Amino acid sequence: MIRHPLQLAGETVLPRAATRRPTEAPGLVDSFGRRHNNLRISVTDRCNLRCTYCMPEEVTFRDKRELLSFEEIATFVEVAASLGVNKVRLTGGEPLMRKELHKLVRLLVAIAGIDDLGLTTNGLLLADHAAELFDAGLRRLNVSLDTLNPDRFRALTRREGLDRVLAGLAEAKRVGFAPIKVNAVALRGFAEHDVVPLAQYCRAHGFELRFIEYMPIGADSWERDKVFFAHEILDLINREVATVVPVPHDPSAPAQDYAYTDGGGIVGVIASVSRPFCHHCNRLRLTADGKLRNCLFALEETDVKAYLRATPPQRSAIATALRESVWAKWEGHEINAATFIKPQRTMHAIGG
Ligand code: SAM
Ligand code: SF4
């Protein structure tokens, strides 16, 4: 699927590096010259919450036999690492709903070339699993938490569980995770009330808070008016928490971080809607059922499960699929354009 190029005012459009074919390019480079080293792996589409911005209340989860085994995931990561991937993040659905996730962590930290392994979780089961994940070698942890208010937690997640998330964060800190990042989706109607308490809570506990602008990837109908924008978040923080200043930025990192000038730590914003970072994107995704996606908003996928389930696994076919998928990546997601088409899979089934 080819889309019209995304171009924001004041930004240059990347020229296509059209002279090379995918199999000739070193590593995972797309036709705009973007090198991909960052892989997000969904380990399940199941979840114990039903966040309104992410998934529908009623959902049929995939049969567990459709999900990649830990060994299949590790084989995929070995091939990806041989092509230059060094950063891996486990996600879902809720990754801690996958039994014995620490065993996958152990397999992945042992893979040559993987030097950065992270996990994104809603934190509900974290108190039970933090120690075994840490022992297995996991160090980077993002916990999603949009509000400290029990009523708004219930309204957003359609479930109970705020206390368990807070207990999970405390246990993760106790066992030694650092840094611990807290991810909050910035949704108008909620964020106005939650930005300041979340910022104060994270400052008090030494967590790095990150706001993510609400994106059109859930089950709900999305409108731009429902996004609480990064500049509004920063205004609130500057006005009601403490002054912040931008810290030097790695352009391929989606978050722009800000430091509190009083030494209170870091707060970040991921401005996916108001300031897309597609031009520097270095990410690709593997879904729990073995589909390769070259963009969160991709409308096409490449199935690699059959290659992983062959005996022995077809590593060169996986490498070719990876190269071709990356090469075919479009320039940008076009959330802001009239031509934007929302993918059929909602966030929980892709892996955020
Ligand atoms: N269940 C885990 C969790 O919630 O952290 C991992 C999967 S979840 C899909 C990953 C991240 O995507 C979470 O931080 C969540 O808040 C974010 N997310 C989900 N739907 C979103 C949306 N429509 N816009 C922005 N972020 C979203
Ligand atoms: Fe579940 Fe995470 Fe989606 Fe919430 S954001 S429904 S916790 S997958």
Side-chain angles (χ1 to χ4, degrees), residues 82 242 254 282 297 317 331:
S82 74
N282 63 359
F297 296 94
E331 189 182 8

Side-chain angles (χ1 to χ4, degrees), residues 207-245:
F207 304 143
E208 285 185 23
L209 179 58
R210 284 246 186 103
F211 290 98
I212 312 167
E213 287 179 346
Y214 170 43
M215 295 182 286
I217 193 80
D220 282 355
S221 65
W222 180 92
E223 290 153 35
R224 228 182 130 77
D225 286 353
K226 294 182 183 169
V227 183
F228 194 72
F229 291 111
H231 71 270
E232 299 177 277
I233 295 166
L234 293 168
D235 282 352
L236 261 180
I237 289 180
N238 268 313
R239 211 169 49 238
E240 298 190 30
V241 183
T243 313
V244 290
V245 289

Side-chain angles (χ1 to χ4, degrees), residues 47-51 53-55 92-94 122 144 347-348:
C47 191
N48 41 8
L49 296 180
R50 291 288 182 281
C51 302
Y53 48 72
C54 174
M55 68 188 286
E94 173 45 40
N122 65 25
S144 302
M347 187 70 130
H348 81 284

Side-chain angles (χ1 to χ4, degrees), residues 152-200:
R152 283 199 296 281
F153 184 92
R154 204 176 300 115
L156 280 170
T157 66
R158 304 184 181 115
R159 296 287 185 276
E160 300 292 338
L162 175 59
D163 291 347
R164 283 155 70 200
V165 179
L166 297 180
L169 276 161
E171 177 64 3
K173 186 175 172 180
R174 192 193 67 76
V175 303
F177 279 102
I180 297 175
K181 295 187 178 166
V182 171
N183 289 354
V185 176
L187 202 60
R188 195 170 297 283
F190 289 86
E192 294 91 324
H193 311 287
D194 293 316
V195 165
V196 173
L198 279 171
Q200 283 163 341

Side-chain angles (χ1 to χ4, degrees), residues 68-114:
L68 296 181
S69 68
F70 289 169
E71 290 69 25
E72 288 163 352
I73 292 173
T75 300
F76 182 86
V77 173
E78 281 168 11
V79 177
S82 74
L83 295 171
V85 166
N86 68 328
K87 288 183 79 164
V88 172
R89 176 160 293 272
L90 301 177
T91 179
E94 173 45 40
L96 295 184
M97 294 204 58
R98 189 79 191 251
K99 284 201 174 59
E100 303 192 309
L101 190 70
H102 61 99
K103 291 190 174 167
L104 177 60
V105 168
R106 241 176 245 287
L107 290 177
L108 299 185
V109 294
I111 293 174
I114 300 301

Side-chain angles (χ1 to χ4, degrees), residues 136-158:
L138 185 73
R139 291 295 177 269
R140 288 180 174 275
L141 192 60
N142 287 22
V143 179
S144 302
L145 175 63
D146 305 321
T147 179
L148 295 168
N149 176 290
D151 293 332
R152 283 199 296 281
F153 184 92
R154 204 176 300 115
L156 280 170
T157 66
R158 304 184 181 115

